[in-house]
């Protein structure tokens, strides 16, 4: 046991030394806004809304609109000194999602809903122009104009291009692709997102 503790301590010292030698830490908070289309496939739980009605079937994919915001207030970036334009970033923040009612399928319309929760973001800044990231959102939600509450989860892949850099700020455009889950449906969401971020290292450099 004592040997294992020594090995762990040595590894921590080595990791810290490597970090100090080859990399540095920055903070990069950001604000994102997106809008797009939602392609929703209701699951079997959807039929529970129509008990005893054999004429109701699970509909095929349904289409809705969506928009939302991410406020990534805590962000730590591991910036490689050998490649200062490349970094690994981990962020945590708040998120808001709004999904409209679906286009009608016969007499059936999927209800609109909205949610506020938290988002976790793992991002790789490949170079000065391209990023790719993964986001997870956990959203306590409710159907609009009702008290029915539920939970939704998003799993999102985010390729991004930096369009503009000015002082300590960067402006990105992204095309996120999102798999979203809630109890009565699974959805695919495609969006256009705009992101504004701040870089503490460049602020300090000024």
């Amino acid at each position: 046991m004592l040997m294992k503790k020594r090995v762990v301590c040595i590894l921590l010292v080595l990791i810290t030394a490597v970090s100090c030698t080859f990399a540095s830490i920055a903070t990069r908070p950001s604000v994102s806004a997106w809008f797009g289309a939602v392609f929703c496939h209701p699951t079997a739980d959807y039929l529970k809304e129509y008990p005893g009605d054999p004429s109701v079937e699970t509909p095929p994919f349904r289409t809705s609109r969506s928009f939302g915001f991410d406020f990534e207030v805590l962000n730590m970036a591991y910036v490689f000194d050998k490649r200062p334009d490349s970094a690994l970033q981990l962020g945590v923040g708040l998120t808001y999602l709004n999904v409209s009612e679906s286009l009608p399928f016969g007499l059936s319309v999927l209800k609109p809903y909205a949610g506020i929760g938290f988002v976790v973001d793992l991002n790789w800044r490949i170079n000065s122009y391209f990023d790719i990231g993964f986001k997870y959102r956990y959203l306590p939600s409710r159907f609009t104009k009702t008290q029915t509450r539920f939970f939704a989860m998003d799993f999102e892949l985010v390729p991004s291009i930096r369009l503009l850099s000015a002082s300590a700020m960067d402006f990105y455009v992204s095309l996120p692709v999102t798999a979203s889950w809630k109890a009565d449906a699974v959805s695919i969401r495609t969006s256009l997102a705009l992101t504004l971020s701040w870089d503490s290292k460049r602020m300090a450099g000024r």
Side-chain angles (χ1 to χ4, degrees):
M1 183 64 69
L2 182 59
M3 181 62 69
K4 288 183 179 180
K5 289 183 178 180
R6 288 179 178 175
V7 171
V8 170
C9 290
I10 292 171
L11 287 175
L12 289 174
V13 170
L14 289 175
I15 291 172
T16 302
V18 170
S19 299
C20 294
T21 303
F22 297 105
S24 55
I25 301 298
T27 58
R28 291 174 175 168
S30 64
V31 177
S32 301
W34 77 86
F35 61 92
V38 181
F39 305 95
C40 175
H41 179 64
T43 63
D45 283 352
Y46 168 83
L47 299 178
K48 293 179 181 179
E49 298 184 25
Y50 304 92
D53 188 344
S55 65
V56 177
E57 300 179 354
T58 302
F61 274 100
R62 312 295 300 284
T63 305
S64 302
R65 299 182 307 275
S66 71
F67 68 88
F69 306 93
D70 289 336
F71 303 94
E72 195 173 279
V73 292
L74 299 176
N75 178 287
M76 297 300 293
Y78 187 80
V79 184
F80 297 95
D81 287 343
K82 298 293 185 180
R83 296 179 58 197
D85 292 329
S86 181
L88 289 176
Q89 301 175 184
L90 178 64
V92 179
L94 301 176
T95 185
Y96 171 79
L97 170 67
N98 185 291
V99 177
S100 72
E101 69 179 19
S102 70
L103 296 177
F105 179 80
L107 298 177
S108 170
V109 176
L110 297 186
K111 299 174 183 176
Y113 68 92
I116 298 177
F118 69 84
V119 58
V120 178
D121 172 33
L122 179 62
N123 186 77
W124 176 28
R125 178 166 291 183
I126 300 172
N127 53 41
S128 298
Y129 302 100
F130 300 104
D131 287 30
I132 188 164
F134 173 80
K135 287 186 177 183
Y136 168 76
R137 297 186 185 90
Y138 182 77
L139 292 147
S141 308
R142 72 175 183 177
F143 292 113
T144 306
K145 298 181 181 180
T146 75
Q147 296 302 314
T148 304
R149 298 179 182 274
F150 57 92
F151 295 101
M153 290 188 291
D154 282 357
F155 304 88
E156 184 171 272
L157 183 66
V158 191
S160 303
I161 297 175
R162 185 168 72 176
L163 294 184
L164 180 66
S165 180
S167 183
M169 293 187 295
D170 294 315
F171 181 72
Y172 287 87
V173 62
S174 309
L175 296 173
V177 178
T178 312
S180 183
W181 175 89
K182 58 188 181 77
D184 64 344
V186 176
S187 304
I188 298 296
R189 188 167 71 242
T190 57
S191 308
L192 174 67
L194 303 175
T195 300
L196 184 65
S197 70
W198 294 264
D199 191 321
S200 66
K201 282 177 68 71
R202 280 153 50 193
M203 283 183 179
R206 294 182 63 196

